[in-house]
Structures are given as C-alpha cells and as structure tokens.
Amino acid sequence: MHVSAIIAAGGRGARFGTAGPKQFLALCGKPILRHSVEALAGSSRVSELVVALPADMVADPPTYLAAAGKPTVVVEGGARRQDSVARAFARVASRADVVIIHDAARPFVSGELIERTIDAAVAYGAAIAALPATDTVKRGNANRVIVGTLPRGEVFLAQTPQAFRTSVLRDALALATGHAEATDEAMLAEQAGHPVTLVDGDPRNIKITTPEDLEMAEALMAQRGGGAGLRIGNGYDLHRLVAGRPLILGGVTIPFEKGLLGHSDADAVCHALTDAILGAACAGDIGRHFPDTDPAWKDANSIAMLAHAAGIVREAGYNVVNVDVVVIAERPKLLPHVEAIRGNVARAIGIAPGQVSVKGKTNEGVGATGGGEAVAVHAVALIAHV
Ligand code: MG
C-alpha cells in the first residue's frame, strides 16, 4: 500500500507573535517542523512526503527535508490551509492509496497514532485523531455570555493526523476552492458527504500555537529524551578496605569485619554517584565541591554530599532521570542491602527508588578488588534539562 504524507507547514504563524512562522522555531535545538517530518518519515507505513512551505522558503528548503530518509517533495503553501493541502495533494504520487495529513506544529505525533489513523482511513475512508472533551464545553455569544452547554459526550477535539483514501480526499478538496476557510480537511470531507471516523488521539500530541505551548513542549521533549536536553555522566570511586572502620555504602552501614578508608565516611557509592551527576551537568567533580582540605567535609555523611550535588545540578536547570550503579566487592554480599541503598540514594537525589539501580559484582578474585583489598564503584547518571 502506498501512503503519502502531507505536512502542512505553509502558515505564517500569526498567533504566535514572533517574526517568523512558529513551525521553524527550535524545540530542544531542532526546528518544530523537523520533529514532525522525522516522525512521519520514521513510520514504516509512510512511503513519501509532500511538505507545503511558505513561499520564500521553497527555492531553498531546509536541508533536513532531503535528509528525512523518504522521497520528499516541497510545494509552495497557499493563502489558506486548504490551498496548501490542495497544492500538496496535486504532487502526491498517482498510485497513492491513502493520504495522511499532519500539522507541522504537532511535533509529538507518535508512530502508533500515525498507524492508527492510516488503518482507520483504509477501513472507513476517512479518519481523524481526536480527543474526547474532558472540560465542560460552553457556547458563548459576542458579549461573552453563555448561550448553551454542549453535551460533553458528543464533543471531540480534532487533532492531526487526518487520513483519507485518495478518492475521498479528492472529493473533499474539490469543495475547498469555494469554501471560505476550512480549519481541517475532515470538515471538507464531511461536507462532501463522506463519513469521517474518530480515532483515539494522544493528549501529548499537542499543537504549538503560543509561546506557552512551546515552553510545555520543551519540558515534554526533554522528559521524553527526544531532544538535545538529555545528558549523561559517569563516575568512579575506589577505597581501601581496612580493619577498624565501618563499611558504609549508599548510606547503609553493612556488617563486615572491615570498612573503607577515607577522609569522609568513604562511601564509594555516594562518591561515584556524586561524580556521575556533576559530570552529566559539566559541573565539576567531587574534589572541587568537597575538597579533603575542607574540614567541613571531614567524616562527612556522603549522602549529604550526594544531596548537595543533586541540588547543584537542579540549580543548573536539570532533573535526574535515572542512575545506575555497579559495586565491585569480593565480600560481603551486597544483595541484602540493595533495597536500603536504593531508598537512601533516591531520597538524597530527590527521585523515586524506581529511578535508582544498584548491582553488586565480584571481581572473580582478580586484582585488588578481587583480593578483598578494596571496593570499587562505577556509576552513570542521566539528567534532563527542564
Ligand atoms: Mg571516594
């Protein structure tokens, strides 16, 4: 089956209040249009893309369009949305069975939503992604006085993608010329007498219309790890095992005949994690923030140091997404203490235990750790810009 995707990016974005069209603003370092193009091009169901651009960009289109990985055609957008879509439709491959139309300003469209909409168009002729209204919907008059309350169960909020069998879209767009302004293609299909099926939309498939939407989108994109807001850090620590010291790992005192030697409590789990978290934010290391020469940190509780490091990183605008720790010790067994360590570390960083992984390993008797002379710890931390 040949599915052509039309991306409507011809609008001037008058509602956004910036000089340029909003679909070219950066979201986590990438133009919003590029996110949308990559989502459609990334669907195994989509065969080709036709992108409607503002007139002044057609001669020199952004290079990421050609790099999308699917045959991509650029057309000049029209004055109204339906004009842009009609121009794009004219360039769709003649063998296209289904055309899926998407707004450039919805960069979060998922592969599942694209497939769901295509499948419904194949089955029923026309389908749009939509969300049931969760707020009560009022009709108001020009004086902002309510003139009615719509039955909420009958109200659906249209999103894109919207997909059509090619013949259905042809009928719909034939109405477009005479029609004043259709805010979506489904409206034209309805008026052409074709039933349009509602498929479950996605609340995260937001449309970026205002600067506030863009702020929300930044946070959502960083959380999903889809943007440049994600960073990783690595930490390592080793302490000698000696008699006459408590063995403290991740804030848990583990019964053992030896403990770790160090200036502070020598909690190698906290030290490796502190370096991993600071490293992810390029915020220095444990030696810079907690020097051994500083009496304030002598015999310090390393859980407090870890919490302090998490605070530094939060201050720099990041949240910790997850951490993963490997403790290399021949003895004692770590497993009975893993849950307590995860809980302490999670509390110190300000995340949930589900975001903290702690694993124990022996060194097979090899080297200093294998010989029981030392305990070593490796840690990685992922942080996301908020
Ligand atoms: Mg240390």
Side-chain angles (χ1 to χ4, degrees):
M1 173 168 311
H2 190 100
V3 177
S4 301
I6 290 177
I7 297 186
R12 304 300 327 182
R15 275 179 289 176
F16 204 87
T18 53
K22 61 182 184 290
Q23 62 272 29
F24 302 104
L25 294 177
L27 168 59
C28 286
K30 248 190 331 193
I32 293 169
L33 170 63
R34 183 171 182 177
H35 288 283
S36 302
V37 165
E38 287 176 356
L40 270 301
S43 169
S44 61
R45 304 286 298 277
V46 170
S47 316
E48 60 160 359
L49 277 75
V50 184
V51 183
L53 290 177
D56 55 353
M57 297 185 75
V58 174
D60 186 19
T63 50
Y64 54 78
L65 296 181
K70 294 273 165 78
T72 301
V73 174
V74 165
V75 299
E76 183 180 325
R80 304 165 306 170
R81 179 194 167 88
Q82 67 252 41
D83 302 324
S84 295
V85 171
R87 286 180 184 184
F89 183 58
R91 298 291 301 277
V92 158
S94 56
R95 65 179 186 284
D97 304 292
V98 168
V99 178
I100 182 165
I101 301 169
H102 188 61
D103 280 339
R106 291 188 191 267
F108 291 99
V109 62
S110 68
E112 293 79 33
L113 183 54
I114 292 168
E115 290 194 11
R116 215 159 43 233
T117 314
I118 292 171
D119 287 341
V122 171
Y124 306 111
I128 73 167
L131 290 177
T134 51
D135 295 327
T136 298
V137 184
K138 305 288 189 187
R139 292 187 62 233
N141 65 15
N143 299 321
R144 293 209 161 193
V145 174
I146 291 171
V147 294
T149 300
L150 301 179
R152 194 165 61 185
E154 294 178 10
V155 176
F156 292 86
L157 308 174
Q159 300 187 328
T160 67
Q162 307 196 343
F164 307 86
R165 279 190 215 137
T166 307
S167 55
V168 172
L169 185 59
R170 189 172 295 117
D171 281 356
L173 290 173
L175 294 181
T177 349
H179 203 285
E181 171 86 61
T183 49
D184 68 359
E185 289 62 50
M187 195 169 153
L188 298 169
E190 294 153 39
Q191 287 173 13
H194 292 284
V196 181
T197 296
L198 296 162
V199 304
D200 289 337
D202 181 349
R204 286 159 299 192
N205 180 29
I206 59 170
K207 185 174 184 181
I208 299 175
T209 307
T210 65
E212 292 75 25
D213 296 335
L214 185 59
E215 268 176 39
M216 269 200 297
E218 287 276 357
L220 193 56
M221 192 62 84
Q223 193 191 25
R224 276 178 27 157
L230 218 53
R231 304 173 63 114
I232 192 163
N234 170 236
Y236 170 76
D237 196 27
L238 178 144
H239 284 264
R240 280 180 189 281
L241 268 174
V242 296
R245 289 267 302 179
L247 175 59
I248 301 172
L249 290 172
V252 176
T253 304
I254 297 173
F256 192 52
E257 72 252 23
K258 290 179 176 179
L260 296 177
L261 182 65
H263 177 71
S264 66
D265 59 11
D267 186 333
V269 166
C270 287
H271 296 177
L273 274 168
T274 300
D275 262 355
I277 289 172
L278 291 172
C282 274
D285 64 8
I286 197 164
R288 182 175 123 198
H289 293 283
F290 313 99
D292 329 342
T293 49
D294 184 348
W297 297 104
K298 172 147 173 62
D299 296 320
N301 175 347
S302 297
I303 282 281
M305 289 164 59
L306 177 59
H308 188 79
I312 290 170
V313 166
R314 253 196 310 278
E315 221 23 52
Y318 296 96
N319 275 338
V320 175
V321 178
N322 72 309
V323 298
D324 186 23
V325 176
V326 180
V327 178
I328 304 167
E330 210 64 16
R331 281 196 315 132
K333 285 228 169 301
L334 196 70
L335 192 59
H337 310 287
V338 160
E339 289 313 308
I341 294 172
R342 291 177 66 206
N344 284 349
V345 166
R347 260 191 307 282
I349 300 176
I351 55 181
Q355 292 164 285
V356 178
S357 156
V358 175
K359 292 123 54 198
K361 262 209 135 29
T362 72
N363 214 40
E364 295 285 333
V366 176
T369 47
E373 292 171 49
V375 170
V377 179
H378 295 269
V380 287
L382 189 70
I383 62 172
H385 206 273
V386 285

